[in-house]
Amino acid sequence: MHNSVYNTIVVGVAFSPNLQANVFEALRMSVLFNAELVLVHVGEKSTVKEASLSKIIAGFTESFPKYRVLWEAGNPVEVLVNACVSEKADLLILGAIQREGLLKYYLGSVARKLTRKCPCDVLLLIKPSANRIQCSYGVVNGLAHEKTETAISRAFYFLTALGANRLTIVEEIPEDSVTAKVDDDRSLRKSTIMKERIRLRENTRVQNILGHISVDSKNTIDYDVQPIFGKRGYSIGHFALIVRADLLVMNAPQANSIWDRIFPHDLEYILSDLPTDVLIVR
Amino acid sequence: MAHSKPSLFTGLRSNIFAGFVVSLIALPLALGLAIASGFPPIAGIIASVVGGVLVAVLGGSYVTITGPGNGLVVVLLGAVTVLGEGDAQVGYLYALAAVILSGVLLLIFGFLRFGALSDFFPATAIQGMLSAIGITILLKQFYVMLGDLETKGSALELVLGIPDLLLRLISEASSGQLYAAAIGVLSLLIMVFYSKITNRFFHLVPAPMWVVVLALGFDAYATYLGDGNPISGALLISLPDNLLTSVPTPNFSKWQEPAFWGVVLSITLISSIESLLSIKAVDKLDPEKRRSNTNKDMKALGIATIVSGFLGGMNVVTVIARSSVNVNNQATRRVSNFFHALFLFVMVLVFQEQLRRIPLTALAAILVYTGYKLSAPEIFVRMYRIGKEQLFIFLTTLVATLLTDLITGILIGLLATFVVHVVLNKAFWLFSRNLLKPNVLMYKEGETQKYYVGIIHFCTFLNFYKLKAKLDKIPQNAQAVVDFSLCSFVDHTVQESLNNYEELFVRKGGSVEIIGLDVHQTDSSHPFAVRTLRPMEKLRVFGGGRTKRQHQLEALAVEKEWGYQDTPKTKKLLLQKYIGYGTTSVERVYNQLSNVENSIFLFDIKYSEGVFIAKESVQTTFLHIKLKNEIPVFSFDREMLLEKLSSLAGFHDIDFPKNPTFSRDFYVRGNNPKAVREFFSEELISFFSAYGFYHVMSNGNDLIVRQFLRTATPAEATAMIEFGLALKKKIEG
């Protein structure tokens, strides 16, 4: 791990049945990235809590992580955002909520606010586990966006650290970029040709980005490019679900206003129905 | 693919002939439909002529015929009665205004690209509405057929009135009415038995024209006898004295009344649904396999309806029966629609004297038959076969339409369908939470060049337009795979529409293959029955009804003389001995094909990876080969997909120094590199390279072959079997 991107990792701890799994996942991440882990508990410090947390951490035998615990009462969103700022965190780890009895995961309202306000990268875990589960396949967006290059190189970095071996760069092409409307055979032919042209153009763009990225992991990870004509932010999540990816890497959204909640944009589809673990890159 | 535009005269002769044959049917139908709608008989002819000419010039379909439609009879008759408040002539002028405005709406629909409108209604509810229309036409025209022009009333009243009608016919009818009724009954017999008579010369003239011939023959015979036609004026067709100049003026003065706009909306809705359904059906008949531009056709129909209305005619819609006669007579282009209009125009001008001698009872007989066709008992039986709940939706819509009106009826049908879906799934949230979310993903699989279409959540008439929008963008000569494995509920409307797409694709050299429905539950044996992943209480008979894919797999088994079982004994431990599969748990094995020696099996399998099931389980298709001789333990694949299944301690990528390309392109792993290297002879290496898209695993005695993370389509299953047979032969020598 020569160029460490993640030096400080923040994770919120709540005393729920998932505590052990959450803490173990966070510890594992900090070991993988050789980073310091800051466990933040929103609430008063008490000896009982402290003891049970220490007991859980003592049970983590995979390696010896560096960690600290912060105890602070207040509004969970504010406390965690402040912790990220003051600790100069590079990564915030959050757990998703599983919908009752279903294999569906979504973000709670606190986590949702955090993904918006947090200044650093955010990792959303759908199913934290005390035991290690191999992550082997990642999907990253290839949007025409200035942050995409960072997202793709971060995806390579992250997947390498996790020991994954496969990455698909999904270019989501908005359906309305194909101006030819399909009515009959002739217009269908026209739109098919137009799509093919756009596909080639987009492919060149992504290949350009890939050319810029100079990380060793380009050799150890098999990567390919998959163009998809469809709704932005939706198609990539559905794709990740279909190919059984383990990690989805996305650009952070630019601005967030009330309109984005009402008219879901890029990230909202994924946050309301998490297909896999998601890494949001800032 | 680009083909040159056919010249104006290509196949002109066959198109003129087809137009002629259609005009023979269109003449009595147009007259009859107009009378049944409460319009003057000539209104039907106007709609046919105007429609034929304008849609031939402006339309976007190829072999359709346009004219007055039977679906509109009920709503137009209602319009004349309601708006005229009893006065038929006044009502006619108001109704014309409504027709014109519905034409304007149709035109706007065309510009707004509402060509998919009919897909928003559940197929069964539409069928129920059409049957209700059929019953209404049948009952009303049954009275006319027996010479009774007076009786009016609801469907129930008309049914109960039939014995009375017969009694009156026997006791108090005039001889003229008796003759007319006799012609009516004879005409009905001609309509019913036409298809049963096999005489070639008899079939030169279409059945409705025989009815006209019968009526005119009777008239000629009566005149010949010298008594004159005994059938009185009221029971004969009345045409204006001067056909070319007598144009009525539509009356728009009711434009402020809600009832008027109610009529406009129902006419528009029914005419667009009838037209769109007909266009969709006729596209499947087109000998040149073209795709109609429905939006362009809607605009043309709108313009034609406006013009027809101003000239005193009915709505112009696309009609299925006349269109199929058109195709059967080798029509290939829109010009046949034009000639149908032209011949009709000439016939009416030349034979107007003869037309005035046709009794209404003969035309009513044609409509009684049409009405019967729309509501035949077969339709009820078919609905029951698809599922009890479909029969329920069908009957609810039918009764609701008969008791109220068409719009209320179809809306109740829509609601009934939705309620049935909620009850079947016992989950309102499935629909409420996901209705507005996108649920379709479509992309071109890089490796196979197939179009993959995946659907999640649910797929019913409520959101079929999203799937349809994607399907419409796939070239129809391509291979498409529609995957429902992550979709909890699929309704009948969707499956029927998909079947439609399958037929269209196959006709153009492509294919639509549906996968992932085999594990869904149903209580019907119909291949298009509703299917849900949610448990249906009391109906836990897995395999209660086979899907189309299961039928195709069974056919494949029969063809190869293999065995087929849809629920074989679960091979729980099958995967345990393979590299990387130690922790998988098999949930279900289904759709198994096996050869006679029981040494090769192809089956679908549902398994989850590991104890910590973070994701939905995998559904895929495996090929299992039992070998006679022992071979090394290894795994072969191109993308290291197997690696994710668990840590592969001790299993390394094995190098083949003599075959650097093979070494680079594929991952071969095993715990005994020396034995594996020996096993992979030059011949096997070239064989495996050619089939690199398969993942092959060996546990020493058996092989497992897999291609996708989804189940294989029947075509892919066939290819896998061929691969398995060849591989077994190569290894066993």
Side-chain angles (χ1 to χ4, degrees), chain B residues 643-660:
Chain B
E643 180 129 330
K644 81 189 299 179
L645 294 173
S646 83
S647 53
L648 294 168
F651 295 93
H652 299 292
D653 188 13
I654 299 169
D655 272 333
F656 292 83
K658 285 183 200 156
N659 298 80

mmCIF file with all atom_site columns, all heavy atoms in Angstrom, chain B residues 643-660:
data_model
loop_
_atom_site.group_PDB
_atom_site.id
_atom_site.type_symbol
_atom_site.label_atom_id
_atom_site.label_alt_id
_atom_site.label_comp_id
_atom_site.label_asym_id
_atom_site.label_entity_id
_atom_site.label_seq_id
_atom_site.pdbx_PDB_ins_code
_atom_site.Cartn_x
_atom_site.Cartn_y
_atom_site.Cartn_z
_atom_site.occupancy
_atom_site.B_iso_or_equiv
_atom_site.pdbx_formal_charge
_atom_site.auth_seq_id
_atom_site.auth_comp_id
_atom_site.auth_asym_id
_atom_site.auth_atom_id
_atom_site.pdbx_PDB_model_num
ATOM 1   N N   . GLU B 1 643 ? -13.618 -17.315 -8.597  1.00 0.00 ? 643 GLU B N   1
ATOM 2   C CA  . GLU B 1 643 ? -12.815 -16.905 -7.453  1.00 0.00 ? 643 GLU B CA  1
ATOM 3   C C   . GLU B 1 643 ? -13.661 -16.330 -6.336  1.00 0.00 ? 643 GLU B C   1
ATOM 4   O O   . GLU B 1 643 ? -13.366 -16.463 -5.172  1.00 0.00 ? 643 GLU B O   1
ATOM 5   C CB  . GLU B 1 643 ? -11.793 -15.865 -7.901  1.00 0.00 ? 643 GLU B CB  1
ATOM 6   C CG  . GLU B 1 643 ? -10.922 -15.400 -6.766  1.00 0.00 ? 643 GLU B CG  1
ATOM 7   C CD  . GLU B 1 643 ? -9.460  -15.479 -7.136  1.00 0.00 ? 643 GLU B CD  1
ATOM 8   O OE1 . GLU B 1 643 ? -9.086  -16.351 -7.938  1.00 0.00 ? 643 GLU B OE1 1
ATOM 9   O OE2 . GLU B 1 643 ? -8.709  -14.667 -6.637  1.00 0.00 ? 643 GLU B OE2 1
ATOM 10  N N   . LYS B 1 644 ? -14.766 -15.669 -6.707  1.00 0.00 ? 644 LYS B N   1
ATOM 11  C CA  . LYS B 1 644 ? -15.540 -14.977 -5.697  1.00 0.00 ? 644 LYS B CA  1
ATOM 12  C C   . LYS B 1 644 ? -16.198 -15.953 -4.728  1.00 0.00 ? 644 LYS B C   1
ATOM 13  O O   . LYS B 1 644 ? -16.596 -15.584 -3.646  1.00 0.00 ? 644 LYS B O   1
ATOM 14  C CB  . LYS B 1 644 ? -16.594 -14.089 -6.354  1.00 0.00 ? 644 LYS B CB  1
ATOM 15  C CG  . LYS B 1 644 ? -17.845 -14.814 -6.795  1.00 0.00 ? 644 LYS B CG  1
ATOM 16  C CD  . LYS B 1 644 ? -18.734 -13.945 -7.600  1.00 0.00 ? 644 LYS B CD  1
ATOM 17  C CE  . LYS B 1 644 ? -19.216 -12.728 -6.848  1.00 0.00 ? 644 LYS B CE  1
ATOM 18  N NZ  . LYS B 1 644 ? -20.071 -11.907 -7.707  1.00 0.00 ? 644 LYS B NZ  1
ATOM 19  N N   . LEU B 1 645 ? -16.329 -17.186 -5.129  1.00 0.00 ? 645 LEU B N   1
ATOM 20  C CA  . LEU B 1 645 ? -17.108 -18.101 -4.316  1.00 0.00 ? 645 LEU B CA  1
ATOM 21  C C   . LEU B 1 645 ? -16.471 -18.397 -2.970  1.00 0.00 ? 645 LEU B C   1
ATOM 22  O O   . LEU B 1 645 ? -17.150 -18.627 -2.005  1.00 0.00 ? 645 LEU B O   1
ATOM 23  C CB  . LEU B 1 645 ? -17.368 -19.388 -5.085  1.00 0.00 ? 645 LEU B CB  1
ATOM 24  C CG  . LEU B 1 645 ? -18.258 -19.141 -6.290  1.00 0.00 ? 645 LEU B CG  1
ATOM 25  C CD1 . LEU B 1 645 ? -18.384 -20.369 -7.131  1.00 0.00 ? 645 LEU B CD1 1
ATOM 26  C CD2 . LEU B 1 645 ? -19.622 -18.650 -5.852  1.00 0.00 ? 645 LEU B CD2 1
ATOM 27  N N   . SER B 1 646 ? -15.185 -18.417 -2.911  1.00 0.00 ? 646 SER B N   1
ATOM 28  C CA  . SER B 1 646 ? -14.529 -18.540 -1.608  1.00 0.00 ? 646 SER B CA  1
ATOM 29  C C   . SER B 1 646 ? -13.038 -18.379 -1.837  1.00 0.00 ? 646 SER B C   1
ATOM 30  O O   . SER B 1 646 ? -12.583 -18.261 -2.957  1.00 0.00 ? 646 SER B O   1
ATOM 31  C CB  . SER B 1 646 ? -14.804 -19.899 -0.978  1.00 0.00 ? 646 SER B CB  1
ATOM 32  O OG  . SER B 1 646 ? -13.896 -20.850 -1.498  1.00 0.00 ? 646 SER B OG  1
ATOM 33  N N   . SER B 1 647 ? -12.316 -18.374 -0.761  1.00 0.00 ? 647 SER B N   1
ATOM 34  C CA  . SER B 1 647 ? -10.873 -18.287 -0.963  1.00 0.00 ? 647 SER B CA  1
ATOM 35  C C   . SER B 1 647 ? -10.408 -19.625 -1.510  1.00 0.00 ? 647 SER B C   1
ATOM 36  O O   . SER B 1 647 ? -10.859 -20.682 -1.095  1.00 0.00 ? 647 SER B O   1
ATOM 37  C CB  . SER B 1 647 ? -10.187 -17.991 0.366   1.00 0.00 ? 647 SER B CB  1
ATOM 38  O OG  . SER B 1 647 ? -10.604 -18.951 1.306   1.00 0.00 ? 647 SER B OG  1
ATOM 39  N N   . LEU B 1 648 ? -9.527  -19.567 -2.476  1.00 0.00 ? 648 LEU B N   1
ATOM 40  C CA  . LEU B 1 648 ? -9.108  -20.807 -3.124  1.00 0.00 ? 648 LEU B CA  1
ATOM 41  C C   . LEU B 1 648 ? -7.710  -21.160 -2.659  1.00 0.00 ? 648 LEU B C   1
ATOM 42  O O   . LEU B 1 648 ? -6.769  -21.176 -3.438  1.00 0.00 ? 648 LEU B O   1
ATOM 43  C CB  . LEU B 1 648 ? -9.146  -20.630 -4.633  1.00 0.00 ? 648 LEU B CB  1
ATOM 44  C CG  . LEU B 1 648 ? -10.546 -20.413 -5.201  1.00 0.00 ? 648 LEU B CG  1
ATOM 45  C CD1 . LEU B 1 648 ? -10.458 -19.959 -6.639  1.00 0.00 ? 648 LEU B CD1 1
ATOM 46  C CD2 . LEU B 1 648 ? -11.346 -21.680 -5.101  1.00 0.00 ? 648 LEU B CD2 1
ATOM 47  N N   . ALA B 1 649 ? -7.588  -21.394 -1.389  1.00 0.00 ? 649 ALA B N   1
ATOM 48  C CA  . ALA B 1 649 ? -6.266  -21.688 -0.853  1.00 0.00 ? 649 ALA B CA  1
ATOM 49  C C   . ALA B 1 649 ? -5.697  -22.930 -1.516  1.00 0.00 ? 649 ALA B C   1
ATOM 50  O O   . ALA B 1 649 ? -6.368  -23.950 -1.624  1.00 0.00 ? 649 ALA B O   1
ATOM 51  C CB  . ALA B 1 649 ? -6.359  -21.880 0.656   1.00 0.00 ? 649 ALA B CB  1
ATOM 52  N N   . GLY B 1 650 ? -4.482  -22.821 -1.967  1.00 0.00 ? 650 GLY B N   1
ATOM 53  C CA  . GLY B 1 650 ? -3.821  -23.985 -2.533  1.00 0.00 ? 650 GLY B CA  1
ATOM 54  C C   . GLY B 1 650 ? -4.127  -24.223 -3.997  1.00 0.00 ? 650 GLY B C   1
ATOM 55  O O   . GLY B 1 650 ? -3.567  -25.098 -4.635  1.00 0.00 ? 650 GLY B O   1
ATOM 56  N N   . PHE B 1 651 ? -5.008  -23.433 -4.561  1.00 0.00 ? 651 PHE B N   1
ATOM 57  C CA  . PHE B 1 651 ? -5.303  -23.617 -5.976  1.00 0.00 ? 651 PHE B CA  1
ATOM 58  C C   . PHE B 1 651 ? -4.755  -22.443 -6.760  1.00 0.00 ? 651 PHE B C   1
ATOM 59  O O   . PHE B 1 651 ? -5.211  -21.316 -6.594  1.00 0.00 ? 651 PHE B O   1
ATOM 60  C CB  . PHE B 1 651 ? -6.814  -23.724 -6.190  1.00 0.00 ? 651 PHE B CB  1
ATOM 61  C CG  . PHE B 1 651 ? -7.411  -24.942 -5.557  1.00 0.00 ? 651 PHE B CG  1
ATOM 62  C CD1 . PHE B 1 651 ? -7.945  -24.898 -4.277  1.00 0.00 ? 651 PHE B CD1 1
ATOM 63  C CD2 . PHE B 1 651 ? -7.414  -26.142 -6.242  1.00 0.00 ? 651 PHE B CD2 1
ATOM 64  C CE1 . PHE B 1 651 ? -8.482  -26.018 -3.698  1.00 0.00 ? 651 PHE B CE1 1
ATOM 65  C CE2 . PHE B 1 651 ? -7.966  -27.277 -5.648  1.00 0.00 ? 651 PHE B CE2 1
ATOM 66  C CZ  . PHE B 1 651 ? -8.493  -27.220 -4.379  1.00 0.00 ? 651 PHE B CZ  1
ATOM 67  N N   . HIS B 1 652 ? -3.775  -22.723 -7.566  1.00 0.00 ? 652 HIS B N   1
ATOM 68  C CA  . HIS B 1 652 ? -3.141  -21.628 -8.291  1.00 0.00 ? 652 HIS B CA  1
ATOM 69  C C   . HIS B 1 652 ? -3.455  -21.721 -9.769  1.00 0.00 ? 652 HIS B C   1
ATOM 70  O O   . HIS B 1 652 ? -3.780  -22.790 -10.282 1.00 0.00 ? 652 HIS B O   1
ATOM 71  C CB  . HIS B 1 652 ? -1.626  -21.669 -8.075  1.00 0.00 ? 652 HIS B CB  1
ATOM 72  C CG  . HIS B 1 652 ? -1.267  -21.517 -6.633  1.00 0.00 ? 652 HIS B CG  1
ATOM 73  N ND1 . HIS B 1 652 ? -1.470  -20.346 -5.958  1.00 0.00 ? 652 HIS B ND1 1
ATOM 74  C CD2 . HIS B 1 652 ? -0.751  -22.400 -5.743  1.00 0.00 ? 652 HIS B CD2 1
ATOM 75  C CE1 . HIS B 1 652 ? -1.088  -20.504 -4.701  1.00 0.00 ? 652 HIS B CE1 1
ATOM 76  N NE2 . HIS B 1 652 ? -0.658  -21.757 -4.547  1.00 0.00 ? 652 HIS B NE2 1
ATOM 77  N N   . ASP B 1 653 ? -3.313  -20.583 -10.405 1.00 0.00 ? 653 ASP B N   1
ATOM 78  C CA  . ASP B 1 653 ? -3.458  -20.560 -11.853 1.00 0.00 ? 653 ASP B CA  1
ATOM 79  C C   . ASP B 1 653 ? -2.307  -21.384 -12.435 1.00 0.00 ? 653 ASP B C   1
ATOM 80  O O   . ASP B 1 653 ? -1.143  -21.132 -12.151 1.00 0.00 ? 653 ASP B O   1
ATOM 81  C CB  . ASP B 1 653 ? -3.390  -19.106 -12.336 1.00 0.00 ? 653 ASP B CB  1
ATOM 82  C CG  . ASP B 1 653 ? -3.729  -19.005 -13.800 1.00 0.00 ? 653 ASP B CG  1
ATOM 83  O OD1 . ASP B 1 653 ? -4.242  -19.996 -14.367 1.00 0.00 ? 653 ASP B OD1 1
ATOM 84  O OD2 . ASP B 1 653 ? -3.477  -17.944 -14.388 1.00 0.00 ? 653 ASP B OD2 1
ATOM 85  N N   . ILE B 1 654 ? -2.643  -22.381 -13.212 1.00 0.00 ? 654 ILE B N   1
ATOM 86  C CA  . ILE B 1 654 ? -1.626  -23.284 -13.730 1.00 0.00 ? 654 ILE B CA  1
ATOM 87  C C   . ILE B 1 654 ? -1.138  -22.787 -15.077 1.00 0.00 ? 654 ILE B C   1
ATOM 88  O O   . ILE B 1 654 ? -1.947  -22.474 -15.958 1.00 0.00 ? 654 ILE B O   1
ATOM 89  C CB  . ILE B 1 654 ? -2.185  -24.721 -13.858 1.00 0.00 ? 654 ILE B CB  1
ATOM 90  C CG1 . ILE B 1 654 ? -2.606  -25.203 -12.479 1.00 0.00 ? 654 ILE B CG1 1
ATOM 91  C CG2 . ILE B 1 654 ? -1.179  -25.648 -14.509 1.00 0.00 ? 654 ILE B CG2 1
ATOM 92  C CD1 . ILE B 1 654 ? -3.400  -26.484 -12.503 1.00 0.00 ? 654 ILE B CD1 1
ATOM 93  N N   . ASP B 1 655 ? 0.157   -22.699 -15.225 1.00 0.00 ? 655 ASP B N   1
ATOM 94  C CA  . ASP B 1 655 ? 0.728   -22.227 -16.496 1.00 0.00 ? 655 ASP B CA  1
ATOM 95  C C   . ASP B 1 655 ? 0.899   -23.368 -17.476 1.00 0.00 ? 655 ASP B C   1
ATOM 96  O O   . ASP B 1 655 ? 1.178   -24.498 -17.086 1.00 0.00 ? 655 ASP B O   1
ATOM 97  C CB  . ASP B 1 655 ? 2.090   -21.583 -16.232 1.00 0.00 ? 655 ASP B CB  1
ATOM 98  C CG  . ASP B 1 655 ? 1.918   -20.114 -15.920 1.00 0.00 ? 655 ASP B CG  1
ATOM 99  O OD1 . ASP B 1 655 ? 0.915   -19.535 -16.395 1.00 0.00 ? 655 ASP B OD1 1
ATOM 100 O OD2 . ASP B 1 655 ? 2.767   -19.565 -15.197 1.00 0.00 ? 655 ASP B OD2 1
ATOM 101 N N   . PHE B 1 656 ? 0.740   -23.051 -18.740 1.00 0.00 ? 656 PHE B N   1
ATOM 102 C CA  . PHE B 1 656 ? 0.998   -24.031 -19.785 1.00 0.00 ? 656 PHE B CA  1
ATOM 103 C C   . PHE B 1 656 ? 2.099   -23.467 -20.665 1.00 0.00 ? 656 PHE B C   1
ATOM 104 O O   . PHE B 1 656 ? 1.817   -22.712 -21.589 1.00 0.00 ? 656 PHE B O   1
ATOM 105 C CB  . PHE B 1 656 ? -0.266  -24.299 -20.602 1.00 0.00 ? 656 PHE B CB  1
ATOM 106 C CG  . PHE B 1 656 ? -1.337  -25.003 -19.822 1.00 0.00 ? 656 PHE B CG  1
ATOM 107 C CD1 . PHE B 1 656 ? -2.197  -24.291 -19.006 1.00 0.00 ? 656 PHE B CD1 1
ATOM 108 C CD2 . PHE B 1 656 ? -1.456  -26.385 -19.882 1.00 0.00 ? 656 PHE B CD2 1
ATOM 109 C CE1 . PHE B 1 656 ? -3.168  -24.936 -18.283 1.00 0.00 ? 656 PHE B CE1 1
ATOM 110 C CE2 . PHE B 1 656 ? -2.427  -27.036 -19.152 1.00 0.00 ? 656 PHE B CE2 1
ATOM 111 C CZ  . PHE B 1 656 ? -3.286  -26.324 -18.351 1.00 0.00 ? 656 PHE B CZ  1
ATOM 112 N N   . PRO B 1 657 ? 3.346   -23.786 -20.345 1.00 0.00 ? 657 PRO B N   1
ATOM 113 C CA  . PRO B 1 657 ? 4.474   -23.155 -21.040 1.00 0.00 ? 657 PRO B CA  1
ATOM 114 C C   . PRO B 1 657 ? 4.415   -23.329 -22.553 1.00 0.00 ? 657 PRO B C   1
ATOM 115 O O   . PRO B 1 657 ? 4.841   -22.455 -23.298 1.00 0.00 ? 657 PRO B O   1
ATOM 116 C CB  . PRO B 1 657 ? 5.694   -23.880 -20.460 1.00 0.00 ? 657 PRO B CB  1
ATOM 117 C CG  . PRO B 1 657 ? 5.210   -24.516 -19.200 1.00 0.00 ? 657 PRO B CG  1
ATOM 118 C CD  . PRO B 1 657 ? 3.755   -24.789 -19.379 1.00 0.00 ? 657 PRO B CD  1
ATOM 119 N N   . LYS B 1 658 ? 3.862   -24.462 -22.995 1.00 0.00 ? 658 LYS B N   1
ATOM 120 C CA  . LYS B 1 658 ? 3.834   -24.707 -24.439 1.00 0.00 ? 658 LYS B CA  1
ATOM 121 C C   . LYS B 1 658 ? 2.738   -23.900 -25.117 1.00 0.00 ? 658 LYS B C   1
ATOM 122 O O   . LYS B 1 658 ? 2.729   -23.768 -26.334 1.00 0.00 ? 658 LYS B O   1
ATOM 123 C CB  . LYS B 1 658 ? 3.613   -26.192 -24.719 1.00 0.00 ? 658 LYS B CB  1
ATOM 124 C CG  . LYS B 1 658 ? 4.842   -27.025 -24.464 1.00 0.00 ? 658 LYS B CG  1
ATOM 125 C CD  . LYS B 1 658 ? 4.555   -28.467 -24.847 1.00 0.00 ? 658 LYS B CD  1
ATOM 126 C CE  . LYS B 1 658 ? 5.549   -29.392 -24.157 1.00 0.00 ? 658 LYS B CE  1
ATOM 127 N NZ  . LYS B 1 658 ? 4.995   -30.737 -24.035 1.00 0.00 ? 658 LYS B NZ  1
ATOM 128 N N   . ASN B 1 659 ? 1.758   -23.437 -24.346 1.00 0.00 ? 659 ASN B N   1
ATOM 129 C CA  . ASN B 1 659 ? 0.642   -22.689 -24.934 1.00 0.00 ? 659 ASN B CA  1
ATOM 130 C C   . ASN B 1 659 ? 0.459   -21.350 -24.234 1.00 0.00 ? 659 ASN B C   1
ATOM 131 O O   . ASN B 1 659 ? -0.450  -21.172 -23.436 1.00 0.00 ? 659 ASN B O   1
ATOM 132 C CB  . ASN B 1 659 ? -0.657  -23.485 -24.830 1.00 0.00 ? 659 ASN B CB  1
ATOM 133 C CG  . ASN B 1 659 ? -0.568  -24.783 -25.590 1.00 0.00 ? 659 ASN B CG  1
ATOM 134 O OD1 . ASN B 1 659 ? 0.000   -25.757 -25.103 1.00 0.00 ? 659 ASN B OD1 1
ATOM 135 N ND2 . ASN B 1 659 ? -1.107  -24.779 -26.786 1.00 0.00 ? 659 ASN B ND2 1
ATOM 136 N N   . PRO B 1 660 ? 1.360   -20.405 -24.536 1.00 0.00 ? 660 PRO B N   1
ATOM 137 C CA  . PRO B 1 660 ? 1.292   -19.128 -23.801 1.00 0.00 ? 660 PRO B CA  1
ATOM 138 C C   . PRO B 1 660 ? -0.036  -18.391 -23.996 1.00 0.00 ? 660 PRO B C   1
ATOM 139 O O   . PRO B 1 660 ? -0.534  -17.782 -23.060 1.00 0.00 ? 660 PRO B O   1
ATOM 140 C CB  . PRO B 1 660 ? 2.455   -18.318 -24.386 1.00 0.00 ? 660 PRO B CB  1
ATOM 141 C CG  . PRO B 1 660 ? 2.840   -19.014 -25.658 1.00 0.00 ? 660 PRO B CG  1
ATOM 142 C CD  . PRO B 1 660 ? 2.445   -20.447 -25.522 1.00 0.00 ? 660 PRO B CD  1
#
